[in-house]
Each structure stands twice: as structure tokens, then as C-alpha cells.
Amino acid sequence: MPDHVVPSAILWLPFLASLVVFVLRGRGRDMAAWLMTGTALAGLLLTVSLYPAVAGGDALRHVFEWAPTLGLDFTLRVDGFSWLFMLLICGIGMLVGVYARYYMPADDPLSRLFALLLAFMGAMLGIVMSGNVIQLVFFWELTSLFSFLLIGYWHNGASARDGARMALIVTSGGGLCLLAGVLLLGHIVGSYDLDAILAAGDLVRGHALYTPTLVLVLLGALTKSAQFPFHFWLPQAMSAPTPVSAYLHSATMVKAGVFLLVRFWPVLAGTEQWFWIVSTAGLVTLVLGAYAAIFQQDLKAVLAYSTISHLGLITMLVGMGSALGVVAAIFHIVNHATFKASLFMAAGAVDHEAGTRDLRQLGGLRHFMPITATLAVIAGAAMAGVPLLNGFLSKEMFFAETLAAQRGLLVDVVPLVLAIAASAFGVTYSLRFVRGVFFGRVSTQLPRQPHEPPRWMRVPIGLLALACLLVGILPAQVIGPSLQAAARSVLGAQTPTYSLVIWHGWTAPLQMSIVAFIAGCLLFVALRGYFNRCESTPLLGRISGKRTFERTLAIVTVDLPGWLARFFPARRLQPQLLLIVLVALLAGSLAATTAPFDAPPPRWADIDPAFALLWLLGAACAIGAATQAKFHRLAALVLTGGAGLVSCISFVWLSAPDLAATQLLVEVVTTILILLGLRWLPKRIQGLSPDAPLTRLKRWRDALIALVVGAGVASLAYAAMMHPVADSISRFFLERAYVEGGGRNVVNVILVDFRGFDTLGEISVLAIVALTVFVLLRRFRPAAESINALRRQRRNSVSDPAGSDRIIDQSLAHYLMIPGLIVQLMFPVILLFGVHLFLRGHDLPGGGFAAGITVSVALILLYMARGARWVETHLRVLPVRWIGTGLLLAVGTGLGSLLFGHPFLTSHFQYADLPLLGRIPLASAVLFDLGVFCLVVGATTLMLIALAHQSLRRPRTVVVADDIAEPEGAG
């Protein structure tokens, strides 16, 4: 089996399963749960099968060429460190799938939850398996998007919506910083390949752009892992369902930031900037999170702040700059994932059975939930750092690192003291979690009678608690080889010697652990009476990152736009457009002053008088459209079409029939769509209000600005066309269109082959625009006066005599009967012409875009002549499916080339002998062109339907309370 098959399967299985779950969303909870659990289990088994290949410190690597000339290849890279993360992602994902099946309410079909969890799993696997940093950022932002949807899963609640929005803004903003940072890294190294960057540590650290690169990368990592000062978003994300919290906020999403820190440690670490920024952020987060966790009343809030604190511990270890610190960080990443996922699930079980997560209402649950209590005690003890559990070992390594620091007395002592204090706080909030829920007096304030959760809710908790015990008792045997492989893949030759044993003797780290444990217990006893009455964190109650974020957001989204609206008052679109045009004119003028205008003067004698007359006619149409647009919209639209027709004739004149055909078809469609839109605009009556002198002055001003801007654009176009070019790129396309693209229509071959990636982006934008127009018009209601029949229709209805065989207003129903019959007969002819344009497009003027516009024109004419109800009764018009099919065909054609080892969207053609047709070239780009055709048909038709359905609607009526009639018999 090829080396890349297993990593590819691990990466793409979750995305495929997510799609299957979404498609089969009506099949019930069990199928969705089985798909989620089975996919995670398959990924786990495949990951385990890769261990022999990465155990020695080597990396599995496979490159799928995407855009190799730009350094954008899709690279899968699996080493010991990424393998360990893959194990966590798939393993805990499987347990979360089992847990969620029994935790979620019975009326929740779970399809949406599991589809999102699987997609998130795939995105996380994409981060850890990426061998290209641009690819890594892509998956990084995917995790932000899917986490937004998961945190806001119960979107009916305001807290879920607010928490999801906050998480998205903070983490995606950090992702943009990360993108800028990796672009700088690629610029410094000369490659976006991860291996090339990891091997260029000295080059990066010695470069002048090192500091901005470091800051940008750290902003991405610190925001993702909720490190100070970006820690505030994680507690707000606890509005998510508990299975989501157990997965995202223990083992996956929040670990992405520290994964990035460890991954880039060989490149960015070892400088003063790294030490001070990373270790300071980690230390402050460690202490702040642990202190805040003590005083929380919600179980998930306690776990959220403790997660922040433990992530700070990992960040501080990485920031200290020692190789042993990196080993300890990797070790604690695994330990924290196991005990924290177990505790989140235990908290969910308590909420599920007792009906509350409020510590003030809980107590004594060990009598009702003894198994859950036992498992929670084990996980809580691991979090507190109790011996014989995994948390104790990594915390001892942390203490050893703080003791080993040698940067001066003050710099060494302060972190040491704060580390002991944070560890003591950890013991306190762990005791509060365990004792406050399961011990003490039985609470009488529980919303319902508690009992043990279903068995399959306890199994995942138990397996994770068992992992805490096994790692704590047999660390060298259970986690030792995996940790060694992960550390060696990051550190290489710098990998230090370390010992994973339970007893190292009476050492200073052990003494620090004992002091922290005793101090934490004493602090818990001292504060027991205060816990039930505290409403906020002492000393920090007035300092709230959430309030700071919300105030900043309000300034950006409300205050600043309000200030701009007051400073530039413009309730109409025209003044805003004027400001934009003036700014663009100023920028263009400044640029023109620095660049000499070296284009030769035009030779007027060479201009054909007929061509000049044609352009004068087009200019007259444009000017006429501008002057008539306010009160005579139909005339302005006709004149605009005349200007477009002049452009079509110009293309024909200049021997560009392909462009001319496309321009003509686009003119037809846009003219009809604008005409349909004008139907619903309010009427403007000329002469209703006299023109003031200031109004006429503004018109002359606008005309002057338009003339200056038009002259500037024309001059720029003339200078560009007359600029001498040593070797035009057109020769490349002319020589290779048929040889490499299999087509004689160079324009079409460029669109679907040479520049296929650009075309893919353009049709994606077209799909987004169509969906946006449709969504906006769905909520649009036409004015009352626009609903009535048009004046000519009403006149025909009045003059139509009513008889025994004709009902009143039947003439309205048959207003366009004859044109409708003609269009109905012409409809298949136009469709056939569209197919003709598509089939000839690779060799003659035509192609998918022109064919799609042609079919759209046929549908538009049918809607106009026959009406929306008639068309949708006789035809199944499914524009969204057309759009989806087009995108799938276009992307699938590009991905198909990857299966044959070629870059994305590489085209292939060969000659084939067909009956009657003879020997002809068949190109794979035709499939891409078919995707363009489908998407253009779907997008245009979707906008058409949005406009056509306005005629079927009625204006909204406002009901006033005084107008509501009291029902008979009331009162």
C-alpha cells in the first residue's frame, strides 16, 4: 500500500462521514452516532498502524502538487508529535461520540451535532498533519468556523450565540495574524514547506523580520489557546453542549495553539523575545486562570478556568526555552487532555441527572452516583497533581524546569513562587469540584432526583480515568515510547535524557508539590464558608476581559460608524458613492504624478470613421442613460443596453467574437433582471418638486467629476495598451492552447485550463452573490401600490366584456397568452442552442459560461411570459442544486488530477475515434466547463426566482392593538 493512502484516509474520512451524516439526517440518532463513533474508531486504528513508521523520529510525507510554481502544495506530514495529537483527536473523538449519544436530549436528532463534530475532527487532523504552512492556516480557520457552529449549537439561547460570536472573532482574528506570520516566514525562508522552515531556524532568528513574524505567529497561537490577554472567550464558550466542551476545550481546539508553539519551537525559540513574550503570557495565564477557577459557581466554569490555567502551564514550559521544557509540555498536553475530558463528561453527567451545575445546589451525590463519583475523584486528583496519577508526573517536570532556570535572582524566584501558588490554587479548585458535588450533606435544592447516568455515558469517563491511572503508575511503559517519538520529532538531536519513574527521591520538585498540596488544602478549608456567598472573583471582579471585548466591539460596530455618520451625514447612497469616487480619484491622481505618461499620441488619421461614429453613439447612449435615470428608468435601461451593444460590436470589430457573444448574452440577462427589479421600485414623478439652484449645481458637479474620472480611466487604459511589451504572454497561450489544452478556442482554453483556478474563484463568488441576493429578497415585501396589476392590464380588464363563457378579470390571466405560447415553443430551441454553444466552446466561440447564460435567458423569458406559478408547476427548477452540482463538478475535476499525481486542476486530453465524428480531441477541461455551465444556470435562475416571486407576495400589514376586534362573547 502506498505510504500516503493511510494518512489521506485518516484526514478525509471525517469530512466524508460528516457529509454522509448530513445527507442521511432523517435516519435517526443511532445512525448518526454509529457514523461518528465508527469514523473516529477507524481513524484511531489507522493512526495506531502508523506508529512503526514514526517511532524512530522519522516523518511520513507525501506531496500532492497544487500550485507548485507558487509553493502551494497539499502536503501531508506525519511525525511522532503529530501522531500523538492524531491519537488524541481520534481517541477522545470516539469517546465523545459514545457519550453524546446518551447525553443529548431525546428530541435532538443529533445529525447536525455529529456532522459538525466530524467536520471539526477533520479540520483538527488537517492542522496537525499539514506539511505546508498555508495549508495549516486553512485548516486552522476551519476549526474556528466549526467551533463557532458547535458553541452556538443551541442557538436559541442568547448566551450560546454571544459565546460563539466571541470565540469566532477572537480565534479567527488570531488566524489572520497567523496567516500574516507564516507569509513572512515563507518570505524569509523562500518556501512555505514546513520541513524547509523547520530547518531554517538560524536564518529566521537572524532576519530583520524575525520580531514581527514572531509576534504575528504568537497572536495566532495565544488566541487559540485562550492565553492572557485573550483568555476571556473560553469561559463564554461553556454555553456549548457538554460533549462539545469535552472535545473542543480539553483535547482539540484549545490545544491547537500550544501545538503550534511546540511545532515552531525549533524555528522561533531561543531568543529573548520568545522567552519574555511566551513565558510571561503563560505565567500570567497560569496564575490568573487557577485563581479565578476557585471562585466559580458553575461546574463547567470551574473546568474552563482550570483549562486556561493548565494551558498557561504548557505555554510557560515552551516559553522557557529548554528542550526538557518542551518534553514536559508535550507530556502535559496528553495528561491534561485525558483528565480534563473525563471531568467535563462527569460534569455533564451530574447536570444530566441532577438538573443543575450550580455548586451551591449540589452535594452528597456519591450516595446516588457512586460510580460517577469514583471516576470523578480519580480525574480530579489527577488535575490536582496527586501522586500515582498522570498529572503529578508532568507537574513535577514543570517544577523541575522552574528550578533549573538561571536568568537572575528576581526572574528565577518570581516564577517559582507563582508556580507553587498556581499549583496550590489547582488543589483548591479540584477539592471544591470533587467535594462540592459528591461529598458533604445531600442537597435538598436539586431540580430532580439524581441517579447514575446510563452505562454508556459512564464508559468514556471510566476509560479516561483508567488512562490517568495507567500513565501515573506505569509511565515508562504506557506513555514513554510515544512521548519519546514525539519529543524526538520536534527536538531532533537536542532531545534531552529524562526519566519517567514514579520516585525520583526526596527532590526539590517533590517538596514543592507537597507544599502546594498542603497549601491548597488549607486554602480550601479557609474559604469553605465564603464559597457559597461569593458572586464574583475577589480582586478581579471589576476587571473583565468579556466587558472589554464587548466594549471594543461596540466601539467598532456602533460608536465609530455613528461618528462617521455624524461627520459625513449621508442617508442616501449617492453622497457615499461620491466620497468613494473622490477618494479613488485622489489616489489615482497621486499615482499619476509619480509615473511619467510616456504613451505616444494617438494617430487620428488611422481611426476608422465608422468605428469612431460607433463609439460616439455608445457615448451618447451612456450620457443619455445618466441623464434619464432619475425619472425615466425604462428609457435609461434601454440606453444602457445600447451602450452595451456598442461594446459587443466593438469586440466583433476587433476580431473577438467570443467576447462579443458573451457580452451580448450578459447584456440580455442583466437588462431583463434589472427590468424585473425596476418593477418593484417606488415611482418618481417629475415636476413634483421644483429643482432648486443647489440641486442643479450638484448635477453639474457630478457631471464634471464623471468627466474627469472617465478621462482618467481612458488615459490609463490607453497608456496600458500602448506601453511597449518585450514579449507578450499571448504568444504562450496561442502556441500551447491546442498542444496542451486540446482546444482551438484560445479564450475558452485559458478560462477552463490555463487560468482554471481563477475561474473557480469567480464562479464561487457568483454562487455566493446569487445566494446573498436570494436571502435578501426573501424578506423583501413590495410596496402596496406595486402589487396591483399594471395600468395596461387594468385597462384591458375593464374593456373585456363579461359573458356567460368568460369570467371577470380573465383577460389578466391571458394577458401574455400569445407571447407565452411563442416562448413556450421556442424554449426547447433556445435550450438546444445553449447545448450547441457548450459543445463547440473548446474550439469555436461559445463555452460553458455562454451556454449557461443562454439557458438562463430561456428560463427568464418563460417566467416572464407564463408566470412563476405556471413554470414551477410544469418544470422542476432547482437552482441551488444546479449551483451545488456546478461547484462539485468544477472542484471534482481539479481533485481528479491529484489522483493521477498531477497538480490541482491539471487538464488532460487525448484523441478518440468516435463513430461518424472521426478522430477528435477529448479534454478533461470540458467537465470543468460543464461545472461552470451548471453554476451559471443555477445562480442566474436563483436571482430570477427571487425577483419573480415578488409578484406572488402581498405587502406586510401592521396590526395596531386598538384595531383588534374583541371576539363575540368575550368579557
Side-chain angles (χ1 to χ4, degrees):
M1 181 181 296
D3 291 341
H4 67 277
V5 171
V6 173
S8 300
I10 295 171
L11 175 61
W12 297 117
L13 266 178
F15 290 111
L16 180 61
S18 174
L19 182 62
V20 172
V21 169
F22 179 77
V23 172
L24 302 179
R25 56 188 178 276
R27 298 296 181 88
R29 299 163 57 96
D30 290 334
M31 176 169 284
W34 275 109
L35 280 170
M36 167 74 188
T37 308
T39 301
L41 177 60
L44 179 63
L45 295 176
L46 290 173
T47 300
V48 171
S49 71
L50 293 177
Y51 178 73
V54 300
D58 299 326
L60 288 176
R61 175 183 169 87
H62 187 78
V63 178
F64 299 91
E65 291 186 337
W66 180 276
T69 55
L70 299 176
L72 299 179
D73 296 324
F74 190 87
T75 306
L76 292 180
R77 182 183 185 277
V78 179
D79 60 9
F81 184 49
S82 57
W83 181 88
L84 195 59
F85 258 87
M86 291 160 62
L87 204 67
L88 290 176
I89 294 166
C90 295
I92 296 183
M94 179 188 67
L95 298 178
V96 166
V98 175
Y99 178 86
R101 164 62 181 83
Y102 297 91
Y103 172 85
M104 298 297 287
D107 56 351
D108 192 324
L110 293 184
S111 298
R112 184 163 64 93
L113 176 68
F114 283 140
L116 291 173
L117 280 172
L118 283 165
F120 179 84
M121 180 190 298
M124 272 302 303
L125 289 169
I127 289 177
V128 301
M129 296 173 68
S130 289
N132 182 291
V133 291
I134 303 295
Q135 173 187 330
L136 185 150
V137 175
F138 170 76
F139 285 112
W140 185 279
E141 292 294 57
L142 271 187
T143 59
S144 296
L145 177 61
F146 290 128
S147 69
F148 165 75
L149 297 173
L150 284 166
I151 294 169
Y153 181 78
W154 285 329
H155 50 80
N156 292 327
S159 61
R161 296 195 301 270
D162 293 342
R165 181 189 61 176
M166 184 182 295
L168 178 66
I169 292 174
V170 174
T171 57
S172 61
L176 292 176
C177 295
L178 176 61
L179 174 61
V182 299
L183 288 175
L184 287 178
L185 270 178
H187 169 73
I188 295 171
V189 178
S191 172
Y192 297 115
D193 185 79
L194 181 61
D195 284 317
I197 291 174
L198 293 178
D202 293 335
L203 174 63
V204 173
R205 288 187 292 269
H207 201 276
L209 294 175
Y210 168 75
T211 300
T213 302
L214 174 67
V215 171
L216 289 169
V217 172
L218 290 182
L219 282 173
L222 298 181
T223 52
K224 202 73 160 184
S225 285
Q227 296 298 284
F228 180 84
F230 310 106
H231 60 285
F232 53 84
W233 71 263
L234 185 55
Q236 310 309 315
M238 293 299 109
S239 299
T242 297
V244 173
S245 300
Y247 194 45
L248 270 65
H249 305 138
S250 66
T252 54
M253 181 179 174
V254 293
K255 292 295 196 306
V258 291
F259 168 84
L260 192 74
L261 293 177
V262 176
R263 175 58 79 202
F264 283 145
W265 189 88
V267 185
L268 300 175
T271 64
E272 290 297 309
Q273 298 97 310
W274 171 274
F275 171 78
W276 287 109
I277 297 174
V278 178
S279 61
T280 302
L283 180 61
V284 173
T285 309
L286 167 66
V287 178
L288 189 66
Y291 177 73
I294 296 175
F295 302 98
Q296 303 304 309
Q297 303 294 355
D298 187 284
L299 282 179
K300 287 180 69 175
V302 173
L303 297 179
Y305 279 103
S306 71
T307 298
I308 292 172
S309 177
H310 282 271
L311 291 170
L313 185 152
I314 298 168
T315 302
M316 184 178 172
L317 281 169
V318 178
M320 296 176 72
S322 69
L324 193 56
V326 174
V327 176
I330 297 172
F331 190 24
H332 198 66
I333 286 173
V334 179
N335 292 337
H336 176 259
T338 52
F339 66 66
K340 189 56 61 69
S342 179
L343 287 170
F344 266 118
M345 292 182 188
V350 169
D351 186 22
H352 189 270
E353 304 307 328
T356 182
R357 298 196 309 258
D358 193 330
L359 278 164
R360 291 168 293 191
Q361 299 179 21
L362 293 169
L365 291 186
R366 77 180 189 280
H367 301 291
F368 308 98
M369 308 169 65
I371 299 175
T372 304
T374 303
L375 300 177
V377 167
I378 295 172
M383 181 167 66
V386 174
L388 298 183
L389 293 167
N390 57 354
F392 171 76
L393 297 173
S394 52
K395 189 168 288 189
E396 268 210 329
M397 295 176 75
F398 168 62
F399 284 144
E401 280 303 296
T402 57
L403 285 169
Q406 296 181 356
R407 286 181 170 269
L409 182 61
L410 183 62
V411 179
D412 294 343
V413 171
V414 171
L416 191 63
V417 174
L418 292 179
I420 296 174
S423 182
F425 294 155
V427 173
T428 303
Y429 63 66
S430 299
L431 279 171
R432 190 174 181 220
F433 181 96
V434 172
R435 188 190 182 282
V437 175
F438 298 105
F439 295 90
R441 289 178 296 180
V442 177
S443 175
T444 59
Q445 305 177 38
L446 297 178
R448 52 178 176 259
Q449 181 66 28
H451 54 79
E452 282 287 2
R455 177 180 57 185
W456 288 105
M457 276 183 67
R458 300 194 305 265
V459 167
I461 307 174
L463 290 175
L464 290 168
L466 179 63
C468 296
L469 280 169
L470 290 177
V471 173
I473 297 172
L474 302 170
Q477 293 77 16
V478 177
I479 193 68
S482 302
L483 180 61
Q484 179 68 16
R488 190 182 294 115
S489 66
V490 174
L491 300 171
Q494 301 181 53
T495 305
T497 56
Y498 57 92
S499 175
L500 291 179
V501 295
I502 301 174
W503 176 254
H504 290 91
W506 186 253
T507 60
L510 177 61
Q511 297 171 28
M512 293 169 66
S513 297
I514 294 173
V515 169
F517 186 82
I518 295 173
C521 294
L522 294 175
L523 183 62
F524 173 77
V525 172
L527 294 176
R528 278 179 60 186
Y530 177 74
F531 285 143
N532 287 336
R533 64 175 186 270
C534 71
E535 297 295 334
S536 61
T537 305
L539 306 178
L540 299 178
R542 296 179 179 273
I543 304 173
S544 172
K546 176 186 175 183
R547 284 198 297 268
T548 304
F549 169 83
E550 290 175 343
R551 182 56 192 148
T552 304
L553 192 64
I555 291 173
V556 174
T557 59
V558 179
D559 297 347
L560 183 58
W563 178 83
L564 290 173
R566 290 191 299 270
F567 193 75
F568 302 104
R571 297 182 63 85
R572 297 181 297 124
L573 181 61
Q574 188 177 10
Q576 300 176 32
L577 289 175
L578 175 65
L579 182 62
I580 293 172
V581 170
L582 288 176
V583 171
L585 179 62
L586 177 62
S589 302
L590 292 175
T593 57
T594 61
F597 187 82
D598 55 357
R603 296 192 295 269
W604 302 106
D606 296 340
I607 299 177
D608 193 308
F611 191 68
L613 183 62
L614 177 69
W615 272 61
L616 287 175
L617 178 62
C621 288
I623 295 172
T627 57
Q628 298 298 314
K630 186 169 186 179
F631 296 110
H632 305 284
R633 294 168 179 153
L634 183 59
L637 182 59
V638 172
L639 291 169
T640 303
L645 186 60
V646 168
S647 298
C648 297
I649 299 173
S650 300
F651 286 135
V652 174
W653 194 293
L654 299 172
S655 301
D658 214 329
L659 297 180
T662 304
Q663 175 73 20
L664 181 61
L665 291 167
V666 170
E667 282 293 329
V668 171
V669 170
T670 52
T671 300
I672 296 175
L673 288 176
I674 293 174
L675 184 62
L676 291 174
L678 292 179
R679 167 77 167 82
W680 310 111
L681 292 182
K683 186 182 298 183
R684 280 180 169 174
I685 303 175
Q686 191 172 9
L688 190 63
S689 58
D691 286 347
L694 182 60
T695 303
R696 290 193 293 270
L697 183 62
K698 287 182 178 179
R699 289 180 183 171
W700 281 106
R701 176 204 63 191
D702 294 344
L704 179 61
I705 292 174
L707 183 63
V708 172
V709 173
V713 173
S715 301
L716 178 62
Y718 179 77
M721 288 186 291
M722 299 305 293
H723 184 75
V725 178
D727 186 15
S728 174
I729 196 174
S730 59
R731 180 183 300 175
F732 171 87
F733 294 126
L734 290 171
E735 293 174 351
R736 297 171 181 257
Y738 186 75
V739 176
E740 298 185 5
R744 294 184 177 89
N745 182 357
V746 180
V747 174
N748 187 261
V749 173
I750 290 173
L751 291 176
V752 300
D753 191 337
F754 293 118
R755 303 302 297 269
F757 199 84
D758 294 348
T759 305
L760 179 61
E762 290 161 5
I763 63 174
S764 301
V765 171
L766 178 60
I768 293 170
V769 169
L771 292 170
T772 305
V773 170
F774 179 74
V775 170
L776 290 175
L777 290 181
R778 278 185 68 185
R779 301 186 65 85
F780 172 75
R781 293 296 183 271
E785 61 271 16
S786 301
I787 292 294
N788 298 325
L790 299 178
R791 183 167 49 188
R792 183 180 296 275
Q793 292 177 340
R794 293 197 301 269
R795 189 184 303 155
N796 289 353
S797 179
V798 171
S799 63
D800 186 19
S804 59
D805 58 344
R806 179 179 287 273
I807 61 174
I808 298 298
D809 286 341
Q810 193 175 19
S811 61
L812 292 183
H814 298 284
Y815 177 64
L816 292 175
M817 183 176 64
I818 295 176
L821 182 60
I822 295 173
V823 170
Q824 186 177 346
L825 293 173
M826 290 297 297
F827 183 71
V829 178
I830 301 175
L831 291 182
L832 186 61
F833 179 65
V835 173
H836 168 71
L837 286 176
F838 173 76
L839 293 177
R840 62 177 275 166
H842 216 53
D843 289 308
L844 295 170
F849 187 84
I853 293 293
T854 303
V855 174
S856 301
V857 169
L859 286 169
I860 290 173
L861 292 176
L862 202 59
Y863 263 91
M864 293 178 67
R866 280 299 193 180
R869 284 199 175 99
W870 187 94
V871 174
E872 292 171 8
T873 301
H874 292 78
L875 291 176
R876 291 196 67 191
V877 184
L878 303 171
V880 176
R881 293 192 182 182
W882 280 85
I883 293 173
T885 302
L887 279 175
L888 286 176
L889 275 172
V891 175
T893 305
L895 294 176
S897 59
L898 296 178
L899 299 177
F900 296 95
H902 296 286
F904 180 71
L905 276 176
T906 300
S907 179
H908 176 72
F909 87 99
Q910 67 179 21
Y911 287 92
D913 293 316
L914 300 180
L916 301 178
L917 298 178
R919 187 174 175 81
I920 63 171
L922 296 178
S924 63
V926 174
L927 293 175
F928 182 85
D929 209 14
L930 181 60
V932 174
F933 166 78
C934 293
L935 191 139
V936 170
V937 172
T940 311
T941 308
L942 187 63
M943 290 185 280
L944 159 69
I945 290 175
L947 288 168
H949 278 210
Q950 300 305 319
S951 60
L952 307 178
R953 294 178 175 176
R954 291 294 180 265
R956 290 178 177 173
T957 56
V958 180
V959 180
V960 183
D962 295 337
D963 296 336
I964 302 176
E966 190 173 34
E968 295 184 8

